[in-house]
C-alpha cells in the first residue's frame, strides 16, 4: 500500500492509499467536529446537520442525490460522533469523481429548506424515542453523563428532544459556517486511485473554502458517579466505567490489551467466569474507547435483577485480581493476538482503512503505519497491564444500572461501593 498526503493552501488535508488489487473506492470527508463542540443549547445540532446534508442542495433534491449515487452502484452515508462527523461513500473503481462531487455538494451547498427540515425533525425525534426502548443505550448514555457531568463530552450525540424541536435552518447554517473549517477536514480515499488526479479534483471542489482558526475544544475532566433509570425491562443492564487513556497517550495500547483480556472474547476472564462457569448472563464484554484527551473503559452485561449482585462482585473481582497479580503471559498473548488481528484485518477493508487514516491525521497529525501499531501492541507487558488495572481502580467509577425498576438505584450504589473496596487496595499498592 502506498500512502500520500497533500495539504491544500486553505488547510484541507487529502490522503490517499493506493490498493491496486481492489475494484471499489472508499472515500469520505472526516470533519473534526462533533457533539463535544456544541454549547448546551446546541446539543444535537451536529447530528441534525448530518441528517439535513442529504436533504437537498442548491442544484440537487434529496431524491436526485440518492439517484445519482445509486446510478453508479454506489453507497453514500454519514455518521456523527463526539469529536468527528463523517460523510463517506463507496463506489466502483473509476467513479470516485462522482462521489467526491456529491459529498462536496452536500457539505458546501445544502439548502436546509424548511419543509425538509420539518420532515427530518420528526425522523430524528423518532430516533431519540427509539433509544428510550433500548436499555443498553440508556445505560451507556448515563455512564457517559456520570463520567463527564456538566460537560459537552458527557452529553448525548442525538441531543434532547427539546433542542431538536427548535433547531432552525439558520441554526444549522451558523453552526456549519463556524465549525466546518478546512483546517479541521480530511478527505481520505482508498482504492486503485491516482493521488495527484484526486488532489486536483479536490482543489477544484474545496479550494474555495476560507481558512479560519480552528477553535480549541474544551478540555474533558473525568469525574465519575452513579446513575440509574427507574424504567423496568426484561433484563437489568449494568455498565461499569473507568477513566481510560486518550488516543494520544501511549497507554492507549495497554488499555486495549487490558480490555481484550478482561472481556474481549470467549476466552476472556469475564466471559469465562460470568457466563461459562456461573451462567449469570448471556453476554458480557468490555470496551475501551478514546477521544483526543480522555477515554472510558467500560464493562457491559445484562442479567436478571436477582443475579446482578453476583455479576457485580465477579466483575470487580476480576479487576482486582489483575491489579493484584497481573495477567498470565498466556492471556496477555491471546489479547495481543486478538488486537493485532483486528488491526490487520481492518487494513484489508478499503472503507475501514479510509476511516483509520482520517482519524490518525485528525488525532495525531500523521498516519501511524502498520509496523508501528503492531510494535506498540507487542510492547505491552504483564507489568504494564497490572499497573494499568491498579490506576483504573484508584479512580472513581462511573456506574449505571437500567432495567430493574426501583431496584436499579440500590444496585447501582451497590456496584459503586463494591468498586470502592477494590479501590482502597489498589491505592495502597500504588503508594
Amino acid at each position: 500500500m502506498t500512502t500520500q498526503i497533500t495539504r491544500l493552501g486553505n488547510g484541507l488535508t487529502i490522503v490517499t492509499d493506493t490498493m491496486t488489487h481492489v475494484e471499489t473506492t472508499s472515500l469520505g470527508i472526516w470533519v473534526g467536529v462533533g457533539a463535544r463542540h456544541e454549547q448546551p443549547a446546541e446539543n444535537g445540532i451536529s447530528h441534525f446537520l448530518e441528517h439535513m446534508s442529504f436533504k437537498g442542495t442548491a442544484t440537487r433534491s434529496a431524491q436526485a442525490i440518492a439517484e445519482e449515487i445509486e446510478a453508479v452502484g454506489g453507497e453514500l452515508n454519514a455518521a456523527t460522533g463526539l469529536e468527528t462527523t463523517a460523510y463517506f461513500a463507496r463506489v466502483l473503481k473509476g467513479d470516485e469523481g462522482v462521489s467526491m462531487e456529491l459529498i462536496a455538494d452536500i457539505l458546501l451547498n445544502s439548502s436546509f429548506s424548511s419543509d425538509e427540515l420539518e420532515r427530518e425533525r420528526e425522523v430524528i425525534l423518532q430516533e431519540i424515542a427509539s433509544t428510550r426502548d433500548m436499555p443498553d443505550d440508556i445505560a451507556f448514555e448515563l455512564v457517559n453523563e456520570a463520567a463527564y457531568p456538566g460537560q459537552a463530552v458527557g452529553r448525548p450525540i442525538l441531543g434532547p428532544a427539546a433542542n431538536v424541536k427548535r433547531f432552525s435552518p439558520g441554526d444549522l447554517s451558523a453552526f456549519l459556517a463556524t465549525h466546518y473549517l478546512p483546517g479541521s477536514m480530511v478527505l481520505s480515499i482508498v482504492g486503485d486511485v491516482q493521488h495527484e488526479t484526486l488532489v486536483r479534483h479536490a482543489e477544484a471542489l474545496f479550494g474555495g473554502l476560507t481558512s479560519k482558526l480552528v477553535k480549541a475544544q474544551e478540555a474533558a475532566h473525568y469525574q465519575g458517579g452513579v446513575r440509574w433509570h427507574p424504567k423496568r425491562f426484561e433484563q437489568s443492564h449494568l455498565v461499569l466505567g473507568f477513566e481510560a487513556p486518550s488516543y494520544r497517550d501511549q497507554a492507549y495500547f495497554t488499555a486495549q490489551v487490558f480490555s481484550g483480556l478482561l472481556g474481549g472474547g470467549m476466552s476472556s476472564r469475564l466471559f469465562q467466569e460470568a457466563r461459562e462457569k456461573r451462567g449469570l448472563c448471556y453476554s458480557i464484554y468490555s470496551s475501551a474507547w478514546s477521544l483526543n484527551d480522555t477515554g472510558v473503559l467500560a464493562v457491559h452485561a445484562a442479567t436478571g435483577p436477582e443475579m446482578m449482585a453476583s455479576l457485580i462482585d465477579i466483575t470487580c473481582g476480576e479487576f482486582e485480581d489483575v491489579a493484584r497479580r497481573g495477567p498470565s503471559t498466556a492471556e496477555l498473548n491471546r489479547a495481543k493476538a486478538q488486537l493485532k488481528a483486528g488491526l490487520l484485518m481492518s487494513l484489508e477493508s478499503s472503507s475501514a482503512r479510509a476511516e483509520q487514516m482520517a482519524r490518525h491525521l485528525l488525532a495525531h497529525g500523521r498516519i501511524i503505519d502498520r509496523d508501528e501499531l503492531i510494535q506498540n501492541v507487542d510492547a505491552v507487558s504483564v507489568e504494564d497491564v497490572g499497573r494499568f488495572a491498579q490506576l483504573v481502580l484508584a479512580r472513581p467509577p462511573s456506574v449505571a444500572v437500567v432495567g430493574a425498576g426501583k431496584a436499579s438505584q440500590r444496585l447501582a450504589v451497590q456496584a459503586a461501593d463494591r468498586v470502592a473496596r477494590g479501590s482502597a487496595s489498589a491505592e495502597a499498592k500504588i503508594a
Side-chain angles (χ1 to χ4, degrees):
M1 294 182 289
T2 303
T3 303
Q4 293 179 271
I5 302 172
T6 297
R7 191 179 301 274
L8 300 183
N10 60 9
L12 186 141
T13 301
I14 301 143
V15 57
T16 64
D17 196 345
T18 302
M19 293 183 175
T20 57
H21 62 284
V22 298
E23 295 299 323
T24 61
T25 301
S26 295
L27 76 160
I29 288 273
W30 275 260
V31 188
V33 174
R36 76 174 299 180
H37 299 89
E38 301 164 347
Q39 297 301 312
E42 296 175 323
N43 184 208
I45 199 168
S46 295
H47 177 253
F48 204 132
L49 179 60
E50 173 230 305
H51 271 243
M52 284 301 299
S53 295
F54 294 90
K55 298 306 172 183
T57 69
T59 58
R60 291 179 172 94
S61 65
Q63 182 175 346
I65 292 170
E67 289 177 348
E68 191 166 344
I69 191 67
E70 293 181 1
V72 295
E75 303 168 343
L76 186 63
N77 213 330
T80 306
L82 285 171
E83 288 185 327
T84 61
T85 306
Y87 302 82
F88 47 90
R90 190 175 185 187
V91 293
L92 295 175
K93 180 171 63 176
D95 290 325
E96 49 272 6
V98 174
S99 54
M100 195 188 300
E101 288 169 13
L102 281 172
I103 290 173
D105 198 24
I106 65 176
L107 282 176
L108 304 178
N109 305 310
S110 285
S111 54
F112 304 137
S113 76
S114 296
D115 288 345
E116 288 286 359
L117 186 141
E118 292 306 320
R119 279 191 286 270
E120 203 60 26
R121 192 194 309 277
E122 290 305 317
V123 171
I124 296 171
L125 289 172
Q126 290 303 314
E127 185 179 359
I128 293 172
S130 73
T131 65
R132 301 301 91 191
D133 292 326
M134 298 177 182
D136 50 340
D137 279 8
I138 297 173
F140 273 102
E141 186 175 301
L142 289 174
V143 158
N144 203 41
E145 176 190 304
Y148 306 101
Q151 302 172 61
V153 73
R155 293 193 284 265
I157 292 171
L158 300 185
N163 281 3
V164 172
K165 287 178 181 179
R166 60 172 175 72
F167 288 143
S168 69
D171 294 330
L172 298 180
S173 296
F175 190 85
L176 182 72
T178 301
H179 295 284
Y180 276 53
L181 306 175
S184 61
M185 292 182 177
V186 175
L187 172 60
S188 185
I189 309 163
V190 177
D192 188 5
V193 296
Q194 298 294 322
H195 180 79
E196 294 304 326
T197 300
L198 292 171
V199 169
R200 288 194 295 272
H201 200 170
E203 178 79 67
L205 294 170
F206 299 101
L209 281 172
T210 302
S211 178
K212 297 179 185 177
L213 184 65
V214 178
K215 184 179 179 181
Q217 64 191 20
E218 177 185 318
H221 298 285
Y222 178 92
Q223 294 185 34
V226 177
R227 300 289 189 276
W228 61 88
H229 196 286
K231 189 171 183 179
R232 179 172 288 278
F233 291 92
E234 289 297 316
Q235 286 189 307
S236 299
H237 287 252
L238 166 72
V239 177
L240 190 59
F242 300 88
E243 186 177 20
S246 74
Y247 277 127
R248 295 168 174 168
D249 193 321
Q250 187 62 29
Y252 168 82
F253 295 94
T254 303
Q256 297 298 320
V257 172
F258 174 73
S259 177
L261 66 87
L262 183 71
M266 293 175 64
S267 67
S268 67
R269 287 179 170 230
L270 291 178
F271 191 93
Q272 286 295 313
E273 286 295 324
R275 173 175 165 156
E276 297 296 274
K277 294 182 181 179
R278 304 169 191 266
L280 290 175
C281 56
Y282 175 71
S283 71
I284 182 168
Y285 66 91
S286 62
S287 57
W289 59 265
S290 296
L291 300 173
N292 287 333
D293 59 347
T294 188
V296 171
L297 171 72
V299 175
H300 169 252
T303 190
E306 70 282 358
M307 294 189 287
M308 181 61 78
S310 296
L311 188 63
I312 291 167
D313 194 57
I314 288 168
T315 300
C316 294
E318 291 302 324
F319 266 93
E320 292 161 14
D321 187 68
V322 178
R324 184 174 60 253
R325 300 191 302 172
S328 70
T329 301
E331 65 181 331
L332 179 74
N333 289 337
R334 281 198 302 271
K336 286 183 180 182
Q338 284 184 300
L339 185 54
K340 288 188 289 187
L343 289 170
L344 294 174
M345 288 175 186
S346 70
L347 293 178
E348 296 179 358
S349 163
S350 61
S351 55
R353 176 59 172 161
E355 180 176 2
Q356 182 194 62
M357 293 194 305
R359 290 189 179 277
H360 280 186
L361 286 168
L362 287 171
H364 304 289
R366 67 185 183 94
I367 294 174
I368 303 175
D369 65 29
R370 178 187 62 191
D371 290 343
E372 185 178 351
L373 288 170
I374 298 302
Q375 288 169 9
N376 284 328
V377 174
D378 284 336
V380 177
S381 67
V382 167
E383 293 74 21
D384 290 335
V385 173
R387 177 72 173 175
F388 176 79
Q390 294 166 21
L391 292 172
V392 163
L393 281 176
R395 294 281 286 143
S398 300
V399 182
V401 174
V402 175
K406 294 180 180 179
S408 292
Q409 178 179 2
R410 173 179 56 80
L411 292 169
V413 172
Q414 181 179 337
D417 289 343
R418 178 63 182 82
V419 174
R421 294 201 300 273
S423 296
S425 60
E427 289 174 350
K429 189 157 187 176
I430 291 172

